Amino acid sequence: MPGRNFLFVPGPTHLPERVARAMMVPSEDHRSVRFPELTFGLFEGLKRVFGCGEGEVFIYPSTGTGAWEASLANTLSPGDKVLAPRFGHFSHLWIDMMKRLGLQVEVLETEWGGGASEDRIAQALRADKRHEIKGVMVVHNETATGVASDIAGVRRAMDEARHPALLYVDAVSSLGSIDFRFSEWRVDLAVTGSQKGLMLPAGLGIVCASPRALAAETSAALNRVFFSFADMRKANATGYFPYTPSVPLLYGLRESLSMLFDEGLDNVYARHARFAHGVREAVAAWGLAPCCRAPRWYSNTVTAVAVPPRVDAAAIIETAFRRYDLALGAGLGPLAGKVFRIGHLGDLNELMLLGALAGAEMAMLDHGVSLRAGSGVAAAQTAWRRGSVANREREVAALAA
Ligand SMILES: *Cc1c(COP(=O)(O)O)cnc(C)c1O
């Protein structure tokens, strides 16, 4: 099709031209004397994005799923008990992995559309008098439902229960788009992949580990070879990797980190909050509702839109793709056919997002959803113009001060 494809799945996200150019490099020796100049900056930059003071970052040639596996395999032993709320496809996949690795998972079943319940976590931890639960596993931003859990709240619940379990957080679709405070929230293991907020192709699995998580490594008996923290730490200490890294992705990462720092992390988070608000205004103007059940859990990076009964969301997604070259996210698991998802994370601006909203409107109209053409677009325009006027006033005030 002529023109650009509108990629609005919640990962992979748009590849900025700056990042694409940075990755166009000839192959080079990853054991050269100059290579550490590249790697040390990446560890520092990633720690800044995680909000990590003390701790270490590991970069695997992998994906978010690999980073999950790394975080588990380096800190837990077969038969260890862990606590995990399940409220969407990704929390489900994580639970499945933990079971397959031989962990005992106490699952807190939660209706999809809600987030991690701090009260139920505290209750389960208080009931665990012998402190058998070794980890609390929470997906920060559940990409399947557009739900962001309150990690600070989960940490408070763990503190109130005076429970020593480690806190594991899947930050795959939040890091680099939604504020994340690894050290302040005392997260022990946080994971991400390269293809979401970091604006790269898939191919890097990234783990941030606290000193407590690193200490757990000595007694952890799950098998690990490729994902061994110890091997990584040894090589990383001198600026190298234990095996061949994806060098172009590392150059891309250096560029995407500087894009985030050039814009300013707080501005990046504010931009995503503003975009998410506009998308929800559009959904309301269509007479539809987000899958997320309560405003406290609204995600700033993805909105899952519930379509009216008897309308097939999968058909809307197919039409959007075939007719308008717009890629929307599918409903996952039990949400298949019931929702379509709009990813609004990474490298994007208002006009790109208006294009996606306009395309979603056309595809919905094509499938008989009763809405007024342009209603969602207009609602988002209004939200963002208001936001931009307020921002400009703030900027003027800051300059005058
Ligand atoms: C995308 C995603 C993953 C999976 O990451 P991969 O890079 O595909 O392995 C895990 N968790 C969440 C919340 C995600 O959005």
Side-chain angles (χ1 to χ4, degrees), residues 85-88 91 108-117 120 142 145 147 291-293 297 334-335:
R86 170 159 47 198
F87 46 82
S91 35
L108 296 175
E109 294 294 355
T110 306
E111 200 191 326
W112 288 32
S117 158
R120 289 180 62 201
E142 177 49 80
T145 54
V147 162
C291 176
C292 180
R293 279 192 282 116
W297 288 315
L335 294 177

mmCIF file of all heavy atoms in Angstrom, residues 85-88 91 108-117 120 142 145 147 291-293 297 334-335:
data_model
loop_
_atom_site.group_PDB
_atom_site.id
_atom_site.type_symbol
_atom_site.label_atom_id
_atom_site.label_comp_id
_atom_site.label_asym_id
_atom_site.label_seq_id
_atom_site.Cartn_x
_atom_site.Cartn_y
_atom_site.Cartn_z
ATOM 1 N N PRO A 85 -0.824 -12.393 41.210
ATOM 2 C CA PRO A 85 -2.172 -12.093 40.739
ATOM 3 C C PRO A 85 -2.266 -12.319 39.228
ATOM 4 O O PRO A 85 -1.310 -12.053 38.509
ATOM 5 C CB PRO A 85 -2.361 -10.601 41.064
ATOM 6 C CG PRO A 85 -1.013 -10.052 41.352
ATOM 7 C CD PRO A 85 -0.067 -11.193 41.598
ATOM 8 N N ARG A 86 -3.412 -12.867 38.780
ATOM 9 C CA ARG A 86 -3.616 -13.088 37.334
ATOM 10 C C ARG A 86 -4.786 -12.218 36.877
ATOM 11 O O ARG A 86 -5.910 -12.407 37.314
ATOM 12 C CB ARG A 86 -3.905 -14.560 37.057
ATOM 13 C CG ARG A 86 -4.355 -14.802 35.606
ATOM 14 C CD ARG A 86 -4.157 -16.232 35.148
ATOM 15 N NE ARG A 86 -4.628 -17.232 36.074
ATOM 16 C CZ ARG A 86 -4.237 -18.523 36.032
ATOM 17 N NH1 ARG A 86 -3.385 -18.925 35.128
ATOM 18 N NH2 ARG A 86 -4.720 -19.388 36.903
ATOM 19 N N PHE A 87 -4.496 -11.262 36.008
ATOM 20 C CA PHE A 87 -5.569 -10.359 35.552
ATOM 21 C C PHE A 87 -5.419 -10.008 34.086
ATOM 22 O O PHE A 87 -5.904 -8.969 33.641
ATOM 23 C CB PHE A 87 -5.618 -9.091 36.422
ATOM 24 C CG PHE A 87 -4.274 -8.453 36.673
ATOM 25 C CD1 PHE A 87 -3.707 -7.622 35.729
ATOM 26 C CD2 PHE A 87 -3.580 -8.690 37.859
ATOM 27 C CE1 PHE A 87 -2.472 -7.033 35.958
ATOM 28 C CE2 PHE A 87 -2.344 -8.112 38.097
ATOM 29 C CZ PHE A 87 -1.784 -7.268 37.140
ATOM 30 N N GLY A 88 -4.759 -10.888 33.335
ATOM 31 C CA GLY A 88 -4.610 -10.642 31.907
ATOM 32 C C GLY A 88 -3.674 -11.650 31.291
ATOM 33 O O GLY A 88 -3.103 -12.508 31.985
ATOM 34 N N SER A 91 0.129 -11.645 32.671
ATOM 35 C CA SER A 91 0.275 -12.245 34.000
ATOM 36 C C SER A 91 0.029 -13.757 33.895
ATOM 37 O O SER A 91 0.690 -14.559 34.549
ATOM 38 C CB SER A 91 -0.635 -11.591 35.029
ATOM 39 O OG SER A 91 -1.862 -11.193 34.495
ATOM 40 N N LEU A 108 -3.596 -15.416 42.597
ATOM 41 C CA LEU A 108 -4.729 -14.604 43.048
ATOM 42 C C LEU A 108 -5.547 -14.261 41.812
ATOM 43 O O LEU A 108 -5.179 -13.381 41.034
ATOM 44 C CB LEU A 108 -4.235 -13.317 43.723
ATOM 45 C CG LEU A 108 -3.423 -13.477 45.013
ATOM 46 C CD1 LEU A 108 -2.913 -12.118 45.492
ATOM 47 C CD2 LEU A 108 -4.274 -14.140 46.098
ATOM 48 N N GLU A 109 -6.636 -15.027 41.605
ATOM 49 C CA GLU A 109 -7.455 -14.792 40.410
ATOM 50 C C GLU A 109 -8.171 -13.455 40.538
ATOM 51 O O GLU A 109 -8.816 -13.181 41.549
ATOM 52 C CB GLU A 109 -8.487 -15.921 40.231
ATOM 53 C CG GLU A 109 -7.889 -17.284 39.929
ATOM 54 C CD GLU A 109 -7.179 -17.376 38.571
ATOM 55 O OE1 GLU A 109 -7.225 -16.400 37.780
ATOM 56 O OE2 GLU A 109 -6.547 -18.428 38.320
ATOM 57 N N THR A 110 -8.033 -12.639 39.529
ATOM 58 C CA THR A 110 -8.589 -11.295 39.555
ATOM 59 C C THR A 110 -9.326 -11.081 38.238
ATOM 60 O O THR A 110 -8.824 -11.486 37.185
ATOM 61 C CB THR A 110 -7.445 -10.265 39.678
ATOM 62 O OG1 THR A 110 -6.660 -10.617 40.816
ATOM 63 C CG2 THR A 110 -7.954 -8.854 39.824
ATOM 64 N N GLU A 111 -10.486 -10.471 38.298
ATOM 65 C CA GLU A 111 -11.251 -10.247 37.076
ATOM 66 C C GLU A 111 -10.419 -9.407 36.103
ATOM 67 O O GLU A 111 -9.811 -8.406 36.496
ATOM 68 C CB GLU A 111 -12.553 -9.513 37.427
ATOM 69 C CG GLU A 111 -13.629 -9.655 36.371
ATOM 70 C CD GLU A 111 -14.800 -8.708 36.629
ATOM 71 O OE1 GLU A 111 -15.097 -8.461 37.810
ATOM 72 O OE2 GLU A 111 -15.374 -8.222 35.648
ATOM 73 N N TRP A 112 -10.400 -9.841 34.821
ATOM 74 C CA TRP A 112 -9.643 -9.082 33.824
ATOM 75 C C TRP A 112 -10.263 -7.691 33.678
ATOM 76 O O TRP A 112 -11.481 -7.560 33.620
ATOM 77 C CB TRP A 112 -9.646 -9.807 32.475
ATOM 78 C CG TRP A 112 -8.785 -11.039 32.470
ATOM 79 C CD1 TRP A 112 -8.539 -11.875 33.531
ATOM 80 C CD2 TRP A 112 -8.058 -11.575 31.362
ATOM 81 N NE1 TRP A 112 -7.695 -12.886 33.144
ATOM 82 C CE2 TRP A 112 -7.388 -12.738 31.814
ATOM 83 C CE3 TRP A 112 -7.905 -11.193 30.020
ATOM 84 C CZ2 TRP A 112 -6.578 -13.507 30.978
ATOM 85 C CZ3 TRP A 112 -7.105 -11.971 29.197
ATOM 86 C CH2 TRP A 112 -6.448 -13.105 29.677
ATOM 87 N N GLY A 113 -9.407 -6.687 33.656
ATOM 88 C CA GLY A 113 -9.908 -5.310 33.631
ATOM 89 C C GLY A 113 -9.587 -4.617 34.952
ATOM 90 O O GLY A 113 -9.678 -3.415 35.072
ATOM 91 N N GLY A 114 -9.204 -5.433 35.948
ATOM 92 C CA GLY A 114 -8.738 -4.885 37.223
ATOM 93 C C GLY A 114 -7.232 -5.067 37.330
ATOM 94 O O GLY A 114 -6.607 -5.685 36.460
ATOM 95 N N GLY A 115 -6.645 -4.525 38.400
ATOM 96 C CA GLY A 115 -5.204 -4.637 38.608
ATOM 97 C C GLY A 115 -4.886 -5.451 39.848
ATOM 98 O O GLY A 115 -5.773 -6.080 40.442
ATOM 99 N N ALA A 116 -3.617 -5.449 40.236
ATOM 100 C CA ALA A 116 -3.186 -6.192 41.417
ATOM 101 C C ALA A 116 -3.849 -5.590 42.648
ATOM 102 O O ALA A 116 -3.771 -4.381 42.874
ATOM 103 C CB ALA A 116 -1.667 -6.122 41.544
ATOM 104 N N SER A 117 -4.501 -6.450 43.453
ATOM 105 C CA SER A 117 -5.155 -5.969 44.671
ATOM 106 C C SER A 117 -4.147 -5.961 45.812
ATOM 107 O O SER A 117 -3.666 -7.015 46.240
ATOM 108 C CB SER A 117 -6.348 -6.868 45.008
ATOM 109 O OG SER A 117 -6.661 -6.735 46.387
ATOM 110 N N ARG A 120 -5.416 -8.019 48.884
ATOM 111 C CA ARG A 120 -5.349 -9.483 48.788
ATOM 112 C C ARG A 120 -3.898 -9.957 48.862
ATOM 113 O O ARG A 120 -3.623 -11.040 49.385
ATOM 114 C CB ARG A 120 -6.034 -9.958 47.509
ATOM 115 C CG ARG A 120 -7.560 -9.778 47.613
ATOM 116 C CD ARG A 120 -8.262 -10.237 46.374
ATOM 117 N NE ARG A 120 -8.053 -11.656 46.113
ATOM 118 C CZ ARG A 120 -8.222 -12.204 44.900
ATOM 119 N NH1 ARG A 120 -8.605 -11.457 43.877
ATOM 120 N NH2 ARG A 120 -8.021 -13.498 44.731
ATOM 121 N N GLU A 142 -0.507 -4.302 32.380
ATOM 122 C CA GLU A 142 -1.053 -5.491 31.710
ATOM 123 C C GLU A 142 -1.516 -5.057 30.316
ATOM 124 O O GLU A 142 -2.558 -4.416 30.152
ATOM 125 C CB GLU A 142 -2.186 -6.079 32.555
ATOM 126 C CG GLU A 142 -2.904 -7.276 31.977
ATOM 127 C CD GLU A 142 -2.010 -8.394 31.462
ATOM 128 O OE1 GLU A 142 -1.499 -9.230 32.246
ATOM 129 O OE2 GLU A 142 -1.842 -8.447 30.229
ATOM 130 N N THR A 145 -5.130 -5.808 28.745
ATOM 131 C CA THR A 145 -6.366 -5.161 29.184
ATOM 132 C C THR A 145 -6.222 -3.644 29.320
ATOM 133 O O THR A 145 -7.206 -2.946 29.536
ATOM 134 C CB THR A 145 -6.794 -5.722 30.567
ATOM 135 O OG1 THR A 145 -5.685 -5.579 31.465
ATOM 136 C CG2 THR A 145 -7.181 -7.187 30.472
ATOM 137 N N VAL A 147 -4.307 -2.104 31.736
ATOM 138 C CA VAL A 147 -4.420 -1.893 33.185
ATOM 139 C C VAL A 147 -3.020 -1.695 33.773
ATOM 140 O O VAL A 147 -2.135 -2.518 33.567
ATOM 141 C CB VAL A 147 -5.092 -3.116 33.847
ATOM 142 C CG1 VAL A 147 -4.829 -3.150 35.345
ATOM 143 C CG2 VAL A 147 -6.589 -3.110 33.572
ATOM 144 N N CYS A 291 -11.652 -1.528 28.545
ATOM 145 C CA CYS A 291 -11.698 -2.789 29.293
ATOM 146 C C CYS A 291 -11.313 -2.546 30.759
ATOM 147 O O CYS A 291 -11.827 -3.203 31.663
ATOM 148 C CB CYS A 291 -10.722 -3.749 28.614
ATOM 149 S SG CYS A 291 -10.506 -5.309 29.410
ATOM 150 N N CYS A 292 -10.425 -1.579 30.993
ATOM 151 C CA CYS A 292 -9.983 -1.251 32.350
ATOM 152 C C CYS A 292 -11.165 -0.753 33.180
ATOM 153 O O CYS A 292 -11.869 0.161 32.771
ATOM 154 C CB CYS A 292 -8.877 -0.197 32.297
ATOM 155 S SG CYS A 292 -8.275 0.279 33.926
ATOM 156 N N ARG A 293 -11.360 -1.360 34.357
ATOM 157 C CA ARG A 293 -12.583 -1.129 35.121
ATOM 158 C C ARG A 293 -12.588 0.120 35.992
ATOM 159 O O ARG A 293 -13.642 0.591 36.394
ATOM 160 C CB ARG A 293 -12.886 -2.351 36.005
ATOM 161 C CG ARG A 293 -13.555 -3.474 35.257
ATOM 162 C CD ARG A 293 -14.084 -4.526 36.210
ATOM 163 N NE ARG A 293 -13.002 -5.383 36.689
ATOM 164 C CZ ARG A 293 -12.612 -5.450 37.951
ATOM 165 N NH1 ARG A 293 -13.192 -4.711 38.878
ATOM 166 N NH2 ARG A 293 -11.633 -6.250 38.313
ATOM 167 N N TRP A 297 -6.572 2.452 37.589
ATOM 168 C CA TRP A 297 -5.751 1.476 36.856
ATOM 169 C C TRP A 297 -5.561 1.847 35.380
ATOM 170 O O TRP A 297 -4.977 1.054 34.629
ATOM 171 C CB TRP A 297 -6.379 0.083 36.962
ATOM 172 C CG TRP A 297 -6.257 -0.545 38.319
ATOM 173 C CD1 TRP A 297 -5.134 -0.571 39.109
ATOM 174 C CD2 TRP A 297 -7.269 -1.257 39.037
ATOM 175 N NE1 TRP A 297 -5.391 -1.246 40.268
ATOM 176 C CE2 TRP A 297 -6.691 -1.688 40.257
ATOM 177 C CE3 TRP A 297 -8.595 -1.601 38.767
ATOM 178 C CZ2 TRP A 297 -7.408 -2.421 41.207
ATOM 179 C CZ3 TRP A 297 -9.302 -2.327 39.708
ATOM 180 C CH2 TRP A 297 -8.709 -2.735 40.912
ATOM 181 N N PRO A 334 -9.252 -14.823 26.534
ATOM 182 C CA PRO A 334 -10.720 -14.705 26.610
ATOM 183 C C PRO A 334 -11.264 -13.392 26.031
ATOM 184 O O PRO A 334 -12.463 -13.265 25.843
ATOM 185 C CB PRO A 334 -11.013 -14.787 28.118
ATOM 186 C CG PRO A 334 -9.722 -14.600 28.805
ATOM 187 C CD PRO A 334 -8.629 -14.956 27.853
ATOM 188 N N LEU A 335 -10.391 -12.434 25.744
ATOM 189 C CA LEU A 335 -10.852 -11.162 25.181
ATOM 190 C C LEU A 335 -10.857 -11.177 23.648
ATOM 191 O O LEU A 335 -11.235 -10.182 23.012
ATOM 192 C CB LEU A 335 -9.978 -10.003 25.679
ATOM 193 C CG LEU A 335 -10.066 -9.692 27.187
ATOM 194 C CD1 LEU A 335 -9.107 -8.573 27.560
ATOM 195 C CD2 LEU A 335 -11.499 -9.318 27.572
#
